[in-house]
Amino acid sequence: MVEGAQLKQAETGKRYEVFHTDCPARDMVDHVTSRWGIWVLISLRSNDLRFYELRDSIQGISEKMLAQTLRALLEDGLIRREVAPTTPPQVTYGLTEFGQDIGEPLTDLFDRITKRLPADQRPPRGG
């Protein structure tokens, strides 16, 4: 989805029909709330990361799933991909302004959940 198209839709005062299967916003919601999409956005909330740093920060994700998730979030305009002209090229991922806006409530949700977990359900620190 192109950010300009989204802004144009909002400016006309029309709302997306999010419960309709053809709604473009529905695909974006699916990408953000997918098994790995939410973790990519939360992982990138503080700083930009290279592919392997991102993979290591999200335990359990395969390289294939990370690549697919990054591709979908890039197409949605939520993350950006920067390639440094080095040998070999260094690829870094970060949140766009739109991605930061979407990521804030996800981070808040994550923080609320982890604060409310009983101490015996929390993972050990440093692990």
Side-chain angles (χ1 to χ4, degrees):
M1 176 177 211
V2 178
E3 190 171 305
Q6 177 194 11
L7 294 176
K8 186 175 181 181
Q9 181 80 17
E11 289 169 3
T12 62
K14 295 179 184 175
R15 294 185 47 92
Y16 284 110
E17 296 294 330
V18 294
F19 293 104
H20 193 279
T21 56
D22 293 336
C23 179
R26 193 169 178 159
D27 285 338
M28 185 178 296
V29 170
D30 287 345
H31 296 156
V32 169
T33 60
S34 70
R35 179 172 183 188
W36 300 112
I38 193 168
W39 298 115
V40 168
L41 294 173
I42 289 173
S43 293
L44 292 172
R45 71 181 181 252
S46 299
N47 54 349
D48 296 354
L49 296 172
R50 294 179 63 190
F51 183 89
Y52 290 105
E53 294 172 324
L54 193 51
R55 185 201 62 196
D56 292 345
S57 74
I58 306 170
Q59 293 183 5
I61 193 169
S62 68
E63 289 185 19
K64 178 182 175 183
M65 286 310 304
L66 178 57
Q68 288 177 357
T69 302
L70 289 170
R71 197 173 307 118
L73 296 174
L74 273 164
E75 289 175 10
D76 290 339
L78 297 171
I79 63 172
R80 58 183 159 63
R81 180 180 187 265
E82 296 176 8
V83 181
T86 59
T87 305
Q90 290 186 357
V91 180
T92 306
Y93 296 90
L95 294 177
T96 62
E97 184 179 329
F98 186 31
Q100 290 171 352
D101 191 39
I102 297 299
E104 284 179 26
L106 298 176
T107 299
D108 185 47
L109 174 65
F110 175 77
D111 290 343
R112 287 173 185 245
I113 290 170
T114 56
K115 286 177 186 172
R116 301 282 296 216
L117 279 177
D120 62 339
Q121 290 184 7
R122 293 181 189 162
R125 292 213 171 248

